[in-house]
Amino acid sequence: MNIEEFEKLLKLAKKHIEDSGIFLSSTSEAYLDNIIEMSFEFLPEEKTFLDRIKKDMRPGSLVSSSFAKQIVDSLIEFVEIEKSVQKDVLEAKIFESAEDKLKQAGIAFRNEDYPSVINNLNTALELLLKDKLGIPITISKINTVKIIDIFVKHKIGPYVYFSEAKKHIVLVDNKVKHQAYIPTKIECINAIKIMEDLISKLRDVDIELDEDVRKKISKEL
């Protein structure tokens, strides 16, 4: 199954939920649980959101149709953005896919899924760096911290904004991933604002690198 087929399954589930009563039947609840399990594969960056939903759906408790619809609506939104990201990357429109990740962070914020907010912003930052440095999209991971440190040291581009992104996004994301840290609401608000400002600053800017700096960055790939 690909992501388009998964989206069709979600829309079918939404229709089924809308036709339900106040609470889901045991069959419908099992169906929803299966969809949530599948979402871990298609939406790995929303793991925190999915884990929280699974926790809320305690065995033996009744699940309201309105709660189930809210879950499916959020998953459909996430899938739409993920499809857009995949399309942008396929067409090498990396800058646009960074903006999509910013939108996805906004959805996660609305759902009070603060770890996913930071995770999506960190991915957006990686995509921005790839776009501006001409890094091939086939290189999945880059050392964001060290690249930003090079930018700051050599005063490249809007380096002050990159420095703030490192502090409020990358380092917080590391804590989320390695220390099970839960970001606060205000941390997420600040991080989203920083990413909005950075995208705005970089929209029509080409980053020029001399040969020495380019070699230093290449070592971090």
Side-chain angles (χ1 to χ4, degrees), residues 1-11 38-46 75-87 101 104:
M1 177 181 291
N2 57 34
I3 197 163
E4 286 81 10
E5 292 169 333
F6 179 57
E7 182 182 33
K8 290 179 182 178
L9 185 63
L10 287 173
K11 290 180 177 178
M38 294 172 67
S39 297
F40 282 95
E41 175 185 352
F42 292 103
L43 303 167
E45 292 181 357
E46 309 310 325
L75 293 176
I76 290 173
E77 283 190 85
F78 286 136
V79 166
E80 283 293 336
I81 292 176
E82 191 60 35
K83 283 169 55 186
S84 178
V85 170
Q86 291 181 10
K87 181 175 180 292
K101 282 297 176 185
Q104 202 155 346

Side-chain angles (χ1 to χ4, degrees), residues 196-207:
E196 288 175 343
D197 290 345
L198 187 55
I199 286 177
S200 177
K201 288 288 182 182
L202 289 173
R203 191 176 302 280
D204 300 312
V205 172
D206 291 325
I207 294 179

Side-chain angles (χ1 to χ4, degrees), residues 106-117:
I107 297 172
F109 181 82
R110 193 168 69 235
N111 289 324
E112 298 182 2
D113 182 7
Y114 300 141
S116 291
V117 171

Side-chain angles (χ1 to χ4, degrees), residues 185-197:
K185 183 176 182 178
I186 190 64
E187 282 180 312
C188 290
I189 291 172
N190 290 336
I192 290 172
K193 180 63 169 64
I194 288 164
M195 182 54 62
E196 288 175 343
D197 290 345

Side-chain angles (χ1 to χ4, degrees), residues 15-220:
K15 185 177 184 306
H16 184 73
I17 290 168
E18 289 173 340
D19 293 337
S20 300
I22 297 175
F23 295 101
L24 296 185
S25 66
S26 58
T27 302
S28 297
E29 187 176 339
Y31 184 44
L32 178 63
D33 188 58
N34 183 54
I35 285 174
I36 293 170
E37 288 296 331
M38 294 172 67
S39 297
F40 282 95
E41 175 185 352
F42 292 103
L43 303 167
E45 292 181 357
E46 309 310 325
K47 181 180 182 301
T48 304
F49 171 73
L50 297 170
D51 283 338
R52 191 181 69 182
I53 293 301
K54 286 191 67 176
K55 184 178 179 180
D56 289 343
M57 292 177 59
R58 295 182 299 275
S61 63
L62 292 174
V63 177
S64 70
S65 297
S66 60
F67 176 63
K69 182 177 179 298
Q70 182 182 354
I71 294 171
V72 175
D73 281 341
S74 293
L75 293 176
I76 290 173
E77 283 190 85
F78 286 136
V79 166
E80 283 293 336
I81 292 176
E82 191 60 35
K83 283 169 55 186
S84 178
V85 170
Q86 291 181 10
K87 181 175 180 292
D88 287 344
V89 172
L90 186 63
E91 296 175 0
K93 295 189 294 185
I94 306 179
F95 194 95
E96 290 180 20
S97 61
E99 293 179 312
D100 286 329
K101 282 297 176 185
L102 175 59
K103 293 176 186 176
Q104 202 155 346
I107 297 172
F109 181 82
R110 193 168 69 235
N111 289 324
E112 298 182 2
D113 182 7
Y114 300 141
S116 291
V117 171
I118 300 299
N119 183 261
N120 278 295
L121 292 176
N122 189 61
T123 301
L125 181 58
E126 289 183 358
L127 290 168
L128 281 180
L129 286 171
K130 286 182 180 180
D131 180 77
K132 292 303 171 180
L133 296 175
I135 297 173
I137 58 176
T138 49
I139 297 177
S140 59
K141 286 293 180 182
I142 59 177
N143 194 325
T144 308
V145 169
K146 290 189 176 181
I147 291 175
I148 289 176
D149 286 344
I150 293 171
F151 277 23
V152 172
K153 180 179 179 180
H154 295 275
K155 293 183 169 54
I156 296 169
Y159 64 91
V160 173
Y161 290 86
F162 276 115
S163 180
E164 287 296 296
K166 170 189 168 182
K167 176 182 176 182
H168 294 282
I169 297 173
V170 185
L171 298 183
V172 176
D173 187 59
N174 287 342
K175 287 171 65 178
V176 169
K177 290 176 178 173
H178 304 298
Q179 301 175 30
Y181 177 70
I182 304 298
T184 64
K185 183 176 182 178
I186 190 64
E187 282 180 312
C188 290
I189 291 172
N190 290 336
I192 290 172
K193 180 63 169 64
I194 288 164
M195 182 54 62
E196 288 175 343
D197 290 345
L198 187 55
I199 286 177
S200 177
K201 288 288 182 182
L202 289 173
R203 191 176 302 280
D204 300 312
V205 172
D206 291 325
I207 294 179
E208 300 293 336
L209 303 175
D210 60 36
E211 189 61 28
D212 179 57
V213 171
R214 189 168 291 280
K215 286 180 180 179
K216 288 180 180 180
I217 291 175
S218 295
K219 289 180 180 178
E220 307 304 334

